[in-house]
Amino acid sequence: MIEKPLTPEDVDFVTTLHGEERISFVVLLQPRGDQADVLLRAIDDVAMGELKEAVREGEEPEGNEAREPAEIGLEYSLRALREAGSEAVGQVIEDHPLDKLKSVVEDAGADEVIVLTAPHYVEEFFHRDWASRARHKVGVPVLKLFAHSE
């Protein structure tokens, strides 16, 4: 599960987690604009010392405006994973992301879930971040990784 396109560093990281073992990915992209309210994201930015980002949080596209950039980012990420030698399919999820994650895990027979996001300190503190919530829902190990910045 990701919230923005994978950077080359992210692709290298996730495709080498299991050494030379061949890995396939089902990528679910939950656009950041739909994931948390603006105030929580701004607090996270301030906590990370990214004051300019905190000011721009209100500019983050949400709803229908976030769909097209999310689809482009997903396609970019899938292409990068395939170019790295992995099988990869995916989709943008807008509603009930944890329910969708659970059904994908069951349908694909996934061995683990990787949640790759920017740090969300407020949500993490209260265990309301995607990884914490997924651990109680999906029935397989959930690995939380922090995405690299562009």
Side-chain angles (χ1 to χ4, degrees):
M1 179 174 253
I2 61 175
E3 63 186 10
K4 65 177 189 161
L6 298 174
T7 66
E9 293 84 3
D10 294 331
V11 171
D12 184 52
F13 193 43
V14 299
T15 57
T16 59
L17 277 172
H18 297 286
E20 297 298 317
E21 184 179 336
R22 185 148 167 84
I23 301 172
S24 61
F25 294 91
V26 178
V27 179
L28 302 178
L29 188 144
Q30 170 73 29
R32 185 173 182 198
D34 291 344
Q35 188 173 178
D37 71 17
V38 175
L39 178 60
L40 287 178
R41 292 194 319 255
I43 291 170
D44 285 337
D45 291 336
V46 170
M48 296 210 27
E50 297 175 357
L51 299 178
K52 290 180 182 178
E53 291 297 318
V55 172
R56 290 198 301 258
E57 283 298 345
E59 300 170 8
E60 189 82 28
E62 296 190 28
N64 290 335
E65 293 177 11
R67 180 76 189 186
E68 185 177 351
E71 288 174 351
I72 293 168
L74 176 64
E75 196 52 46
Y76 171 85
S77 298
L78 295 175
R79 186 172 48 251
L81 289 166
R82 291 175 191 138
E83 288 172 359
S86 295
E87 294 178 26
V89 296
Q91 68 184 77
V92 173
I93 23 175
E94 297 178 70
D95 298 318
H96 311 291
L98 292 175
D99 292 338
K100 183 62 178 179
L101 180 61
K102 181 179 179 173
S103 69
V104 166
V105 166
E106 291 169 354
D107 294 346
D111 296 323
E112 73 180 346
V113 168
I114 299 172
V115 177
L116 187 71
T117 68
H120 299 294
Y121 295 116
V122 174
E123 293 171 346
E124 290 168 29
F125 180 78
F126 292 106
H127 303 283
R128 301 300 303 154
D129 59 300
W130 292 124
S132 296
R133 293 168 56 201
R135 285 185 183 106
H136 300 288
K137 187 139 189 139
V138 298
V140 297
V142 175
L143 178 60
K144 179 180 183 171
L145 301 174
F146 290 126
H148 289 81
S149 298
E150 293 147 36

